Amino acid sequence: MPTTTGNDVRTKPKSVFRPDIQGLRTIAVVAVIVDHLFHWPGGGFVGVDIFFVISGYLITGLLLREHAKTGHISFTKFYARRIKRILPAALLVLIATVVAAYFLTPGIRFARTLNDSLWAAVFAGNWNLGLQGTDYFQTAQIPSPVQHFWSLAEEEQFYFVWPWLMLAVLAIGFGIFKWTHGQSRLALGLTIGSITVASFAYSLFLSSTDPNWAYFNAFSRAWELGVGALLAIFAYKFTTQNIALRTAMGWVGLIGILTSLFVVTSAGFPAPGAILPVLSTGLVLLAGENASQPYLWPLTNRGAQHVGNLSYSLYLWHFPVIILLLAVLPETSPTYFVAALLATAALSMAGYFLVENPIRKSGWLTATPEEKRTAARRRRRARRRRSARYSRFGGTQSVLKYGALAVAAAAAVVVVVIAFQPPAVSAIAGSAPNPSTSASPQDTLFAQQKAAAAAKAEAARCVGAPVRDSTSGCSLTSLDGVLRPAAGDAEGDNQSSCWIDAGQPIDVCHFGAGPLRVAVVGDSHGQDLLTALAPSANAQGWKMDAYIGNQCLLSTEAFPKCAAHQPILDALVAMPAYDVVITTAARVQQASVQGFTEEYQAIVATGAKLIVVADVPAITDDALLCVQRVGFDPANNDCGSAPSSQPDNQIEAAKAVPGVQVVDMTSFYWVASP
């Protein structure tokens, strides 16, 4: 191979390892991790888009080289390599995540993690999240610890379709039309280019109409892999050996990638938002085509190469660690960030060196009989070398001894950690006194069982607000250390199925058959209120009608999602009038004070008693995580939410309308100081 000087560089075949691609992987995975952990930089999520372009480029190039060399594409070998490279490490992370979630996030969150993991295991996680309507950029809910598997699913779907498409085009070109290699490449490029343009157009449309679905939809992301594929098809024509030009291209692409980390936002994403990182990545790949990149040191340095090697393992492990660690440590604690980084690094290195790399280099699925025999000989030689090393340390017995000491030390650390955890169940004040020491063993056991049963019965009866109510008859002066329902199940504790979906017509739910006519009106907070009222409708002598739906507020101002708004208002003022109307609404989507006031006046004019229930304190993400944390003690914690700074317009309106009664249950909530 010729060597040149001046502004030229040494040429090399396309199959030679490219350190600049490893450097791109490093930037991509570091950007994703710091974005997920520190929520900075704002566009760190584009690291996934960098991976997409690299995948399209490498896989297409691999298949083209195989076809040029052998005249066909071996799907058996291709998918065997993909399985070895991706599946073992991914399954290890999924299994470990499910096991950890079972202990750290029980209840509904564990069930969802298990469900999401099953989808991820068959590389359909993107469709699962898309069908759920998941918003990648939302902050109000805790994401699934395997949410990041959506990108792996999209790459696998690409791997499933792309080789067949390429083979079909190349087979038609060579077999039917007898095209040359250049003509076949051109036909393949035009085919993939058409798909890429169609995908980008669809992505533009979906990003503006349904951004959540656009984010996870495979076809709205295919254009990013398509850009990489087009580079692999046509970049061979870029043959200049001018080092200055290549270096400039590489640095411009790198600067474009780094800029995208700070300027790209969720608006208009993935199209046109991903254009900058996608094209910048393509420029770096093109700059290194057919030649080395000696001066692109941020990508080619030794540290970037090591992180690039670990990039797949780092990507797999980081998100479960970040999400599940919140069950142990608060996100505001510096310890949390240190622990997340250390755990991610340790698990990633263990996964890479013990699972991913050994299996990738093994002959599993891909080795010929002769390669298997050679590998067996290598394993025997390796065992002999290990035995020789063991003998230098005093033989197998010494190794076992040191191993046992290490296990004992680890066990001691675990015991110490558990010993300093807060007790799972705090003492119940008011429990029966200890039996007299003079009592018989049978009497002592009976007294203990009786006291435990009484405490359990009282704890089951005195749940939630009654514990704080001095007139409830509950003698508990502190909580018993058990949340009912468990925090992980709280989201599914709403038993009311009465709901009018956005855009749907009026649908009235009926409860009870008593003489007192009661109407309940409101949005999702009204649905929560209905869950408490419905079971007691008969006992209270109510004949209760519920008008509960998306943005269905008791206001003269109509909200677009509540198509049933006017029919609901008409039903409330129709004769005979309701005896009682109960309403509530969430602060975040309330109408104006005037809108509430006008409708309250209309309701009161019918003779009905109007009861307005003040909105309850909003739960914050930190408070929700706090009550689910391992070692959480209901009787002694600091998990309260700060009081809302947003006014409750319905209460202001209630004050302006005589006869309206306000029920404010804020005192039954623990609201921390702001």
Side-chain angles (χ1 to χ4, degrees), residues 9-51:
V9 293
R10 182 177 298 175
T11 60
K12 61 177 183 178
K14 292 172 66 174
S15 59
V16 172
F17 170 76
R18 286 185 54 174
D20 57 331
I21 293 181
Q22 286 297 81
L24 286 174
R25 288 190 174 115
T26 295
I27 290 179
V29 75
V30 169
V32 170
I33 291 174
V34 298
D35 178 42
H36 286 158
L37 182 58
F38 300 102
H39 309 296
W40 180 92
F45 54 88
V46 303
V48 172
D49 305 272
I50 298 172
F51 280 128

Side-chain angles (χ1 to χ4, degrees), residues 56-57 97 129 236 278 329 556 587:
Y57 175 79
T97 300
L129 296 170
Y236 75 97
V278 167
L329 294 169
T556 56
R587 281 185 175 90

